[in-house]
Amino acid sequence: MTNQNTFEPNQDDDSENSNFEHANLELESRQMQCPYCWETFEWVCDDSDESTEMIEDCPVCCRPIHFKKSDSFEFGEQSHWEALSEDDFYE
């Protein structure tokens, strides 16, 4: 019996989606702290993306965390992200 929730890519598929694994992603894993429940969790972001703001729910308390990238980092260094509550973000 085949599990319907399992994705098995077709090796002969020439579509754009089959090349997703070759995309130029710069995934970075960071330890972040939720501004609501104060739990620490692992957060993965794509530093090659030019976005300076992201919103994701806390994996513990499910409240929306606003991630904001700081502009003050040197070339070649890992960018700095802040995890902010809605109140802190919109101040």
Side-chain angles (χ1 to χ4, degrees):
M1 176 178 237
T2 303
N3 183 348
Q4 294 180 358
N5 294 329
T6 303
F7 175 73
E8 296 179 15
N10 183 351
Q11 298 298 327
D12 298 326
D13 187 4
D14 290 331
S15 69
E16 289 181 32
N17 291 337
S18 67
N19 293 325
F20 179 74
E21 64 185 304
H22 301 292
N24 188 18
L25 300 177
E26 294 179 21
L27 298 179
E28 296 286 337
S29 175
R30 300 151 197 261
Q31 291 295 313
M32 301 298 281
Q33 186 175 38
C34 175
Y36 301 103
C37 68
W38 303 107
E39 289 291 328
T40 301
F41 61 92
E42 183 177 15
W43 182 63
V44 178
C45 69
D46 178 12
D47 271 348
S48 66
D49 187 1
E50 294 183 15
S51 298
T52 58
E53 298 173 1
M54 300 176 76
I55 300 174
E56 290 188 27
D57 291 341
C58 172
V60 179
C61 71
C62 301
R63 296 198 55 193
I65 302 173
H66 293 259
F67 293 96
K68 184 176 181 181
K69 187 190 290 188
S70 171
D71 293 333
S72 59
F73 64 93
E74 299 293 324
F75 180 75
E77 289 184 1
Q78 187 179 42
S79 59
H80 176 74
W81 286 86
E82 293 180 276
L84 303 169
S85 67
E86 288 183 335
D87 292 338
D88 292 336
F89 184 79
Y90 292 112
E91 280 188 349

